[in-house]
Amino acid sequence: MIIIMGVSGSGKTTLGKNISKLTGWPFYDADDFHSKKNKQKMSSGIPLTDSDREFWLNSISKKIATWSEKGETILACSSLREKYRKKFMRETAIKWFVLEGSYNDLKDRLINRKNHFFNSKLLKSQIEVFEPPSYGLYLKLKQSLKSKSETIISEIKKNKESLIGIVGLGVMGRGIALNLAEKGVRVSVYNRKSIEEKKVVDDFLKSNIHYKNIIGFDKIKNFVESIETPRKIWLMIKSGEPVDKLIDEIKPYLEPKDIIIDSGNSNYLDTQKREKELKKINIDFVGCGISGGEYGARNGASIMFGGAKKAYSKIEFVLNMLSVNTKNNKPSQAYIGTDGSGHFVKMVHNSIEYVEMQLIAEIYSIVKSFMNNDEISKLLNKWNKGSQSSYLLDISRQIFQKRDKKKYLIDLIVDKSDNKGTGIWSSITALKHGEPNTMISSAINARFISNMRSIRNSLAKNNTSLKKTNIIDLEILEKSYEFSRLINHIQGFKMIKKVSKSKGWECDLSEIARVWTQGCIIRSQLMENLSLIFTKSKNLLENPLIINKLKKSEKSLSNLISYAAKNKIPIDSFSSAYNFWLSICTDNSTANLIQAQRNFFGVHGYLRKDKGSKEIFKTNWLNK
Ligand code: 6PG
């Protein structure tokens, strides 16, 4: 899709028509789609407002999606403001050509223009509104029509290369490649040709033969050369060593200003190092967290961009294509901050995910002694229709219904859970930054303990069984769930606030919560609420609404914990939530004893309540 843009009178239509004549590419004039009302307004010299333009822009944006499917198409459209252009870019990949000229040149052209509704008096207001894009090819108004046409045609023809390169044809890489190809983007894909992955590229191309805009490679040099410069190369490979190896392999073929986007679950500290290293050779390395799994990659994910702003502006339209819309009609992607911030925020996303999953698992451990799988599914379904609704609750209710022949599949799955590291890194990060993220530690430890299967089996044999107490009230359970989810989100966002401040990222919590309302694994009604709450207050522990909710359901959680203890059911994440709450609500804590002990054996100083806040004391405790 080609858009020739510029203020009225810059010659967009003449140029577009001429290119169409020379190439046969269809031409459209955006002015033809203005309503009668808009045209009348403009011809009487009244500038259009954003809301006047709204319907016009929306209908053009829909048309762009259909036109671009049919091949190269030219549109002449003023596209004065970035937000208008963003609307178009959401639909397809666009080549922008900007016509620029001085006020005087334009004025003369407008005055001499015949048969057009635009009143030349409006030129000043158009120039005021115009926000020159940081991308696209600029053409001088004074250049001849022939020369301008030739420049555009040769630019388009030379760009038969791919717009994006994707490395790694695993579940996510395949999904993203298809998602983009479907939207008309030309994509190059690469997968290494190892013994196990010998036919990955061929198989992928064969099974998607109807996409003519995907080209596959198993040689990295050819792959890199097939992508237009500055290149945008997306890594969809395993985090850790494979990323460094790939960077080493690809580096010799890259050119300054190329962009590498790492969308694996990489450790943000690695991303920071890689970004710094590649900056030295003028390559932008971006850490872009993606959540949503296989479905998200194919149909719209939640995307957390971390890296240079200039790299963001170059790939923002691709991020838009890979997103879904959140409630306010914005795409579920955001610029988080520089270097490792995108991967850091994705890591915290995953730690919230671990806890959300663990809380549902602990509910399962409570109810499974008195409910069958169907009943559990129904209970989760009921909750999912109310204020606790979430993607994870929804998939869990479906899991309890899945059968394998005559049995429930859940009963056949071995009770050992894995992890790929993000939860551990979150715990480490929290500890390193002095952030009490107790719930993520409880959730990751529950996974570790699940792996002690043989010892669990043997100790369970000698476990004295307790007499079952009464069944727990399901309302108590739901309230406890609500309480603990709140603490989980409080801890997660608190950690983002603290770490991002110390790293200079100053992440926008409301924007992060917004991006997490769609496409990602932790999307929920609670997240919708938080994205609004964060627009007003940044500290959930100072928010009266949240505190009231916690106070109201505190008693339920205390009942649940004593029920679980009496019935010997481990619910460490629920307990962590409760203990965190008790601790932060404690006025006179017992840390005075800790300080005294530290001073006793290690001569570490302490402060006194009856003295100044900077005066350090040490005591010889053995002195009589
Ligand atoms: C997502 C998921 C996804 C995946 C991780 C965590 O947001 O789409 O978080 O990234 O589930 O691999 O999985 P582990 O449980 O294996 O650590």
Side-chain angles (χ1 to χ4, degrees):
M1 183 79 218
I2 303 158
I3 298 190
I4 305 173
M5 58 168 288
V7 295
S8 211
S10 54
K12 305 182 288 285
T13 308
T14 318
L15 179 56
K17 279 185 178 162
N18 194 46
I19 295 171
S20 175
K21 203 171 91 194
L22 296 170
T23 59
W25 298 333
F27 168 77
Y28 297 94
D29 191 339
D31 279 347
D32 293 342
F33 304 104
H34 268 300
S35 64
K36 225 174 162 179
K37 201 173 122 219
N38 279 0
K39 284 183 185 169
Q40 269 163 6
K41 235 180 151 176
M42 286 191 279
S43 61
S44 45
I46 308 168
L48 295 184
T49 62
D50 272 0
S51 73
D52 292 329
R53 286 192 178 99
E54 177 95 17
F55 180 77
W56 174 65
L57 289 168
N58 284 343
S59 62
I60 293 175
S61 142
K62 277 193 201 120
K63 286 184 197 306
I64 284 178
T66 352
W67 293 333
S68 62
E69 272 169 22
K70 295 186 186 130
E72 220 58 88
T73 307
I74 315 157
L75 173 72
C77 180
S78 51
S79 315
L80 297 179
R81 304 185 66 181
E82 183 61 16
K83 66 176 182 186
Y84 307 160
R85 295 189 291 265
K86 269 189 184 157
K87 251 188 213 283
F88 300 161
M89 287 193 270
R90 207 178 282 182
E91 300 303 331
T92 189
I94 290 169
K95 289 260 167 222
W96 293 94
F97 294 92
V98 192
L99 294 176
E100 60 171 354
S102 70
Y103 172 75
N104 284 338
D105 292 343
L106 287 157
K107 197 183 70 191
D108 294 344
R109 292 169 69 110
L110 268 178
I111 290 168
N112 297 329
R113 188 160 72 168
K114 302 248 154 38
N115 301 329
H116 198 283
F117 58 78
F118 191 85
N119 188 317
S120 59
K121 282 186 217 141
L122 288 179
L123 182 58
K124 262 219 163 84
S125 84
Q126 283 223 335
I127 289 178
E128 267 161 31
V129 169
F130 181 51
E131 295 162 0
S134 57
Y135 43 84
L137 189 75
Y138 279 69
L139 299 163
K140 291 262 175 271
L141 218 65
K142 286 194 173 135
Q143 226 177 307
S144 72
L145 179 65
K146 183 169 176 275
S147 139
K148 277 187 287 209
S149 306
E150 279 168 3
T151 310
I152 294 183
I153 295 168
S154 81
E155 190 64 22
I156 297 298
K157 287 204 167 153
K158 122 175 154 209
N159 273 316
K160 278 300 160 214
E161 298 126 329
S162 295
L163 193 79
I164 292 278
I166 293 174
V167 176
L169 284 175
V171 169
M172 297 296 281
R174 284 200 306 265
I176 287 186
L178 294 176
N179 191 344
L180 291 175
E182 207 163 63
K183 296 188 170 114
V185 176
R186 202 170 158 84
V187 187
S188 288
V189 295
Y190 164 83
N191 203 89
R192 65 182 176 166
K193 200 170 186 170
S194 64
I195 299 167
E196 316 85 65
E197 294 175 83
K198 217 160 67 195
K199 285 169 65 199
V200 173
V201 177
D202 286 348
D203 289 349
F204 176 71
L205 294 179
K206 259 186 225 148
S207 54
N208 295 292
I209 201 143
H210 49 290
Y211 288 112
K212 303 289 177 227
N213 47 349
I214 304 181
I215 13 175
F217 299 88
D218 55 21
K219 298 218 170 27
I220 203 128
K221 180 173 183 284
N222 299 352
F223 164 72
V224 174
E225 284 170 357
S226 73
I227 307 161
E228 70 167 58
T229 55
R231 299 183 180 88
K232 301 159 192 83
I233 298 177
W234 222 297
L235 309 189
M236 300 302 306
I237 56 177
K238 247 178 112 182
S239 63
E241 231 181 80
V243 176
D244 289 319
K245 250 181 96 187
L246 198 280
I247 293 174
D248 284 345
E249 269 175 64
I250 209 166
K251 224 163 49 181
Y253 310 111
L254 296 181
E255 288 170 63
K257 296 195 186 147
D258 284 352
I259 306 170
I260 302 181
I261 307 131
D262 174 17
S263 273
N265 274 325
S266 288
N267 189 320
Y268 73 98
L269 298 172
D270 289 341
T271 306
Q272 285 191 297
K273 275 191 226 141
R274 289 167 187 148
E275 196 261 354
K276 215 167 155 191
E277 222 20 65
L278 286 163
K279 207 187 250 167
K280 291 182 193 157
I281 52 166
N282 203 3
I283 304 279
D284 278 311
F285 185 80
V286 168
C288 196
I290 293 198
S291 175
E294 187 175 7
Y295 183 87
R298 188 72 181 82
N299 302 289
S302 166
I303 307 173
M304 296 138 256
F305 179 102
K309 265 259 161 80
K310 64 178 191 316
Y312 180 70
S313 70
K314 283 182 195 143
I315 65 161
E316 191 182 356
F317 74 97
V318 185
L319 303 182
N320 287 341
M321 285 182 195
L322 294 173
S323 311
V324 261
N325 273 2
T326 59
K327 272 213 172 118
N328 50 5
N329 228 7
K330 280 188 178 173
S332 56
Q333 62 86 8
Y335 178 81
I336 302 290
T338 52
D339 56 82
S341 61
H343 274 143
F344 164 74
V345 167
K346 175 66 194 341
M347 177 192 79
V348 180
H349 165 283
N350 281 23
S351 70
I352 295 175
E353 168 189 303
Y354 276 43
V355 177
E356 291 280 283
M357 291 163 78
Q358 180 61 23
L359 287 172
I360 301 175
E362 291 181 8
I363 288 164
Y364 174 37
S365 71
I366 297 274
V367 298
K368 71 178 187 179
S369 66
F370 58 87
M371 279 181 150
N372 63 32
N373 291 330
D374 267 336
E375 288 165 336
I376 299 175
S377 177
K378 275 188 195 131
L379 174 72
L380 303 188
N381 190 29
K382 187 173 154 222
W383 289 357
N384 197 39
K385 289 195 171 125
S387 58
Q388 294 315 306
S389 82
S390 74
Y391 167 75
L392 282 169
L393 205 53
D394 188 39
I395 63 161
S396 306
R397 103 180 141 82
Q398 297 178 51
I399 288 170
F400 282 107
Q401 280 184 337
K402 183 83 179 163
R403 286 175 187 260
D404 183 76
K405 296 185 188 123
K406 288 205 167 122
K407 299 207 161 130
Y408 284 96
L409 183 56
I410 186 76
D411 296 332
L412 299 173
I413 297 177
V414 177
D415 58 337
K416 277 166 62 170
S417 50
D418 294 332
N419 80 90
K420 293 204 197 78
T422 44
I424 301 175
W425 304 335
S426 255
S427 264
I428 295 173
T429 306
L431 292 172
K432 250 178 36 192
H433 287 263
E435 212 17 59
N437 202 332
T438 57
M439 293 194 77
I440 180 55
S441 304
S442 71
I444 186 69
N445 279 315
R447 291 195 189 190
F448 294 158
I449 296 170
S450 79
N451 282 290
M452 299 163 66
R453 193 152 183 258
S454 60
I455 186 109
R456 283 197 290 116
N457 290 347
S458 107
L459 288 172
K461 282 186 197 124
N462 309 324
N463 203 352
T464 46
S465 63
L466 287 171
K467 206 170 144 263
K468 284 258 166 302
T469 58
N470 290 336
I471 289 172
I472 187 88
D473 181 343
L474 294 178
E475 212 176 300
I476 288 184
L477 198 55
E478 189 178 3
K479 284 224 168 82
S480 305
Y481 179 51
E482 179 181 16
F483 180 102
S484 305
R485 292 187 65 219
L486 275 176
I487 299 286
N488 177 28
H489 287 75
I490 288 171
Q491 290 192 347
F493 279 101
K494 204 166 151 314
M495 170 152 145
I496 296 181
K497 195 171 163 215
K498 178 140 183 200
V499 178
S500 82
K501 189 161 185 221
S502 81
K503 295 272 181 190
W505 297 325
E506 308 281 354
C507 293
D508 179 341
L509 300 186
S510 163
E511 187 61 352
I512 291 172
R514 182 191 68 76
V515 164
W516 286 349
T517 59
Q518 285 295 329
C520 75
I521 306 297
I522 58 172
R523 60 187 189 260
S524 68
Q525 182 53 49
L526 171 59
M527 200 61 83
E528 292 280 1
N529 301 345
L530 292 178
S531 73
L532 290 180
I533 290 177
F534 280 128
T535 55
K536 296 196 181 82
S537 68
K538 298 292 168 219
N539 187 348
L540 296 179
L541 288 172
E542 281 170 8
N543 185 290
L545 205 92
I546 302 278
I547 297 300
N548 277 342
K549 273 202 161 105
L550 289 168
K551 281 188 174 156
K552 268 195 189 152
S553 41
E554 174 186 344
K555 184 85 189 101
S556 293
L557 186 51
S558 117
N559 286 338
L560 177 70
I561 291 168
S562 61
Y563 171 87
K566 277 187 203 142
N567 288 283
K568 287 192 154 190
I569 304 169
I571 50 164
D572 201 16
S573 280
F574 275 112
S575 308
S576 287
Y578 188 59
N579 282 311
F580 175 77
W581 173 246
L582 291 188
S583 302
I584 58 163
C585 292
T586 297
D587 186 9
N588 259 322
S589 83
T590 49
N592 50 344
L593 176 58
I594 306 290
Q595 284 300 79
Q597 289 164 334
R598 291 177 71 240
N599 181 236
F600 194 113
F601 61 70
V603 207
H604 306 291
Y606 58 86
L607 299 171
R608 288 177 63 117
K609 289 176 184 167
D610 54 349
K611 303 282 178 194
S613 64
K614 289 206 174 84
E615 223 177 320
I616 308 283
F617 289 87
K618 289 181 181 171
T619 298
N620 183 347
W621 296 86
L622 298 175
N623 239 0
K624 292 267 154 74

